């Protein structure tokens, strides 16, 4: 068997596993992708701020931004049903167990922007990121939704890169995959 055939078979097996075991129900009893499963029927409804994550599925080439199950998953993850979704006076978005509670990550915000076709939403997120840099002109790891002057990491190259990629995406500059 060729490497291509082996990879194709593995891809099919992984997809079958995701469809069979990697989905769960949200609070509205809608089918969504689970963040993780334990093999015993339990699943986590959450997302993390790093990539890869569930919000990034279209960016990673797993599905389209119009995929119905993805959109239901996304809507769930960008809500209080996700224990790492925080909303405050200055921002709302996905944070992480790696940073304090109520801190959202610019990486997650940028990915939220790159996985929508809504130009106004992309612009809203870009404006939000610029407005919450605490005057440093750099992206941080995470910042407090109620006080962006409180943040982790003075600068975070990954978050800076994701901001740049969202700017490029806004202007329809994309690398073909």
């Amino acid at each position: 068997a060729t490497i291509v055939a082996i990879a194709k078979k593995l891809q099919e097996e992984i997809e079958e596993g995701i469809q069979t075991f990697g989905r769960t129900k949200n609070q509205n009893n809608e089918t969504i992708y689970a963040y993780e499963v334990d093999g015993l029927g339990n699943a986590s409804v959450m997302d993390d701020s790093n990539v890869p994550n569930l919000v990034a599925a279209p960016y990673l080439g797993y599905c389209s931004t119009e995929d119905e199950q993805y959109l239901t998953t996304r809507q769930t993850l960008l809500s209080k049903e996700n224990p790492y979704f925080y909303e405050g006076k200055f921002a709302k978005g996905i944070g992480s167990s790696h940073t304090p509670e109520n801190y959202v990550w610019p990486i997650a915000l940028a990915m939220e922007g790159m996985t929508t076709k809504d130009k106004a939403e992309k612009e809203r997120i870009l404006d939000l990121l610029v407005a919450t840099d605490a005057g440093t002109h750099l992206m941080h790891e995470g910042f407090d939704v109620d006080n962006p002057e409180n943040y982790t990491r003075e600068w975070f190259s990954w978050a800076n890169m994701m901001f740049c990629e969202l700017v490029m995406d806004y202007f329809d500059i994309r690398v073909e995959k």
Side-chain angles (χ1 to χ4, degrees):
T2 68
I3 188 103
V4 172
I6 293 167
K8 183 70 175 160
K9 184 175 185 315
L10 179 60
Q11 177 188 20
E12 290 167 0
E13 290 171 357
I14 291 170
E15 180 62 22
E16 182 181 338
I18 290 170
Q19 295 305 317
T20 304
F21 304 108
R23 301 183 304 164
T24 190
K25 300 282 186 177
N26 64 13
Q27 292 173 353
N28 295 330
N29 204 36
E30 300 164 310
T31 301
I32 63 168
Y33 292 107
Y35 181 76
E36 60 188 9
V37 296
D38 66 4
L40 301 172
N42 300 303
S44 296
V45 175
M46 62 162 280
D47 209 11
D48 190 68
S49 50
N50 282 314
V51 176
N53 63 4
L54 292 171
V55 168
Y59 173 84
L60 298 170
Y62 178 73
C63 62
S64 88
T65 56
E66 286 107 25
D67 180 90
E68 192 173 313
Q69 190 163 290
Y70 168 75
L71 290 171
T72 303
T73 303
R74 177 188 173 92
Q75 182 178 9
T76 302
L77 299 174
L78 297 175
S79 77
K80 292 291 185 184
E81 193 167 344
N82 174 0
Y84 296 106
F85 179 84
Y86 304 116
E87 189 168 355
K89 183 177 177 184
F90 292 94
K92 64 179 178 177
I94 297 174
S96 174
S97 62
H98 307 293
T99 50
E101 190 173 338
N102 291 320
Y103 278 50
V104 295
W105 280 36
I107 290 172
L109 288 165
M111 189 52 61
E112 187 180 335
M114 285 189 289
T115 54
T116 182
K117 291 192 177 205
D118 184 343
K119 202 81 149 171
E121 181 64 2
K122 291 176 190 293
E123 184 175 351
R124 180 194 71 79
I125 292 168
L126 283 167
D127 289 343
L128 171 69
L129 289 168
V130 169
T132 56
D133 72 356
T136 65
H137 306 297
L138 295 167
M139 296 294 104
H140 308 293
E141 178 186 39
F143 65 88
D144 186 335
V145 295
D146 290 315
N147 184 357
E149 299 288 321
N150 297 329
Y151 54 83
T152 58
R153 296 192 191 189
E154 180 70 26
W155 67 274
F156 192 32
S157 60
W158 187 2
N160 286 313
M161 181 276 304
M162 295 302 293
F163 174 80
C164 292
E165 191 169 350
L166 178 57
V167 169
M168 291 171 56
D169 181 75
Y170 179 80
F171 288 105
D172 300 316
I173 301 167
R174 296 180 188 91
V175 175
E176 293 298 321
K177 297 177 184 174

